[in-house]
Amino acid sequence: MKIINFEKYKFRCSDLGKLMVNPRKKTDTLSATTKNFLQEKHAETIFGKSKEIQSKYLSKGILVEDDAIEMVNRVTSEKYSKNEEMFQNDMITGTPDINESSLIDIKSSW
């Protein structure tokens, strides 16, 4: 088994669900989902290509994003706004929706 150094990788916040899956067997360190995801990320880095995902679900989420933020603001009396700035640390990168005191990620389900 080849050991891969993932220190140079940055994961999107939306990737965390694929990284934090418990394995089915207690003897396994990583789940099959996590292993497959890490293999894909490694291949993307080695070959410089990534999958471009397009679906009606993503298109709908993008289409109603501004309305969803406004609805959350009305319901919670907060003042979140769409953020275009990328936040990151050593491991994670993302563009959360922001207000003066907090970060969230507003999603619109299908």
Side-chain angles (χ1 to χ4, degrees):
M1 174 194 262
K2 182 178 179 183
I3 297 176
I4 300 167
N5 181 358
F6 282 98
E7 289 181 16
K8 62 185 173 186
Y9 293 90
K10 297 239 185 204
F11 298 100
R12 300 279 307 173
C13 291
S14 58
D15 294 335
L16 294 180
K18 298 171 194 160
L19 291 170
M20 310 212 34
V21 178
N22 290 325
R24 290 185 182 200
K25 297 177 187 175
K26 291 186 178 186
T27 56
D28 289 343
T29 306
L30 297 173
S31 70
T33 299
T34 301
K35 289 176 187 176
N36 289 335
F37 174 70
L38 292 174
Q39 288 173 344
E40 286 177 16
K41 291 298 281 183
H42 181 67
E44 287 175 11
T45 302
I46 295 296
F47 300 112
K49 295 182 179 180
S50 61
K51 292 181 184 177
E52 187 170 324
I53 302 171
Q54 291 184 340
S55 72
K56 61 184 178 182
Y57 308 104
L58 291 173
S59 297
K60 183 259 184 178
I62 293 166
L63 184 67
V64 301
E65 184 176 15
D66 292 335
D67 293 334
I69 293 170
E70 180 58 35
M71 185 171 65
V72 168
N73 287 338
R74 278 190 264 155
V75 170
T76 64
S77 299
E78 294 285 344
K79 294 182 181 176
Y80 289 102
S81 60
K82 183 175 178 173
N83 174 38
E84 301 292 338
E85 181 183 354
M86 181 74 71
F87 289 84
Q88 63 183 359
N89 63 19
D90 292 341
M91 299 293 290
I92 300 172
T93 182
T95 52
D97 302 309
I98 61 173
N99 73 10
E100 293 176 1
S101 62
S102 63
L103 303 172
I104 65 170
D105 200 12
I106 299 167
K107 298 293 183 196
S108 300
S109 64
W110 178 254

